Amino acid sequence: MITVTAAAFHEKVHLEADEIILNGPPTFLTGNITIGNKADEVLFINEVPLTKSKQSKGQPAVSMPETFKFNTSLNPGEERIHSAWHQMHPQTAPGTYEGIIHVGGQQKKLKMVVHENVEIDIQPLTIYFQGVVPGKSYSKELLFTNKGNVPVTVPDIKHNTILDFDYICRAFSIAIRSKGNEGFVATMDEVTRNIHKEMADWAVVKLDESGQIVEPGKAIALHFTLTLPKNVDPKRDYFGDVRLWDKVLCYMIKSQ
């Protein structure tokens, strides 16, 4: 058996296609490569080297892989489809990037199709406030980071459903005690009535930076304000979730 590495015996590996295409988000470009064994012995292919051609004038700089990892074996004359992947800089702009690579003495085209990737980070994702006061406003500063490769806009959040921690337990307990002997439908109707009766009005959520555009790789401070409805119970603890793109910001308010 011959072991193929980036430094030795890679000329015994044959790539079938004239063009290698990888596509996906910048940090996980994937594609299939058909590899073949031109030797008379079994090949264990660990990796093969890739050499990027000179950058074409006007073409954006792009990170090309230096090797493709395989970790597979091929019998003499055998061909097999193998998955390959490459990681680029997370903020690489969407588009198609092309180059020429050299593998085992062969010259092949390499095309990398980078997709749009919306990815944000918010710190902290869970925030806490103390003291439940009807109509009171609470504020917190958050860090909003654009980790994707396209600009994102800070969303405009207006209203939010605020719930106390025991509303489900309380609604079911009261319904089962009062309607449990009347069957499922009557009990569930009572649960619905209890939840409706106990539910507070809308809470008002405001982000001072709503509508602001954040470029890839940039971060800004978000000023978050939550105003409680006037019919909350000062003796209960409340919570809620606010969706910001693909992240969910959780808040909790302790009564005492």
Side-chain angles (χ1 to χ4, degrees):
M1 178 185 293
I2 299 175
T3 299
V4 178
T5 68
F9 301 113
H10 50 81
E11 71 279 358
K12 297 182 181 296
V13 178
H14 175 72
L15 299 187
E16 182 65 27
D18 292 329
E19 183 177 59
I20 298 171
I21 300 176
L22 304 178
N23 70 92
T27 55
F28 195 65
L29 294 159
T30 61
N32 293 324
I33 300 176
T34 300
I35 56 175
N37 179 2
K38 299 191 298 182
D40 297 328
E41 299 180 58
V42 176
L43 292 182
F44 176 74
I45 307 172
N46 182 22
E47 61 182 6
V48 295
L50 305 179
T51 305
K52 184 181 67 171
S53 65
K54 293 182 179 180
Q55 195 76 36
S56 299
K57 185 177 180 180
Q59 184 179 358
V62 60
S63 170
M64 293 284 187
E66 296 181 355
T67 63
F68 274 143
K69 300 289 185 180
F70 286 97
N71 291 321
T72 189
S73 60
L74 291 178
N75 293 319
E78 182 182 3
E79 288 188 349
R80 184 180 302 166
I81 297 176
H82 195 281
S83 296
W85 71 277
H86 176 55
Q87 184 175 17
M88 300 174 70
H89 191 280
Q91 275 76 61
T92 302
T96 300
Y97 300 86
E98 298 181 341
I100 301 296
I101 61 175
H102 302 272
V103 184
Q106 298 173 282
Q107 182 172 289
K108 302 289 184 178
K109 294 180 180 179
L110 176 63
K111 179 184 291 184
M112 294 192 288
V113 183
V114 178
H115 298 173
E116 290 187 359
N117 183 45
V118 176
E119 182 180 353
I120 68 166
D121 182 65
I122 299 173
Q123 294 296 331
L125 265 181
T126 303
I127 54 180
Y128 303 90
F129 301 108
Q130 188 73 33
V132 175
V133 179
K136 181 179 178 179
S137 293
Y138 306 79
S139 298
K140 188 75 71 172
E141 184 173 286
L142 312 170
L143 181 65
F144 181 100
T145 305
N146 182 359
K147 291 189 171 183
N149 64 347
V150 291
V152 294
T153 303
V154 178
D156 184 15
I157 311 296
K158 290 183 171 61
H159 299 99
N160 185 252
T161 298
I162 186 169
L163 302 166
D164 77 86
F165 280 92
D166 298 320
Y167 80 101
I168 288 289
C169 180
R170 187 167 53 250
F172 271 90
S173 296
I174 295 173
I176 291 172
R177 284 183 171 86
S178 62
K179 299 291 183 178
N181 61 346
E182 298 180 24
F184 178 80
V185 174
T187 302
M188 293 308 297
D189 285 345
E190 185 66 14
V191 169
T192 303
R193 281 191 289 269
N194 291 339
I195 292 176
H196 179 266
K197 180 176 63 177
E198 296 282 347
M199 185 175 290
D201 294 336
W202 294 102
V204 178
V205 174
K206 180 184 177 184
L207 294 173
D208 290 349
E209 292 73 24
S210 292
Q212 185 169 330
I213 297 174
V214 183
E215 297 295 330
K218 301 298 183 181
I220 64 169
L222 288 187
H223 296 88
F224 171 93
T225 302
L226 169 73
T227 302
L228 294 183
K230 294 183 178 180
N231 63 339
V232 292
D233 188 336
K235 296 180 181 180
R236 294 179 181 175
D237 302 330
Y238 289 88
F239 74 97
D241 297 329
V242 179
R243 180 170 294 278
L244 300 173
W245 288 93
D246 62 332
K247 294 294 187 294
V248 177
L249 173 67
C250 302
Y251 61 83
M252 300 180 187
I253 310 172
K254 183 71 175 174
S255 57
Q256 295 294 336

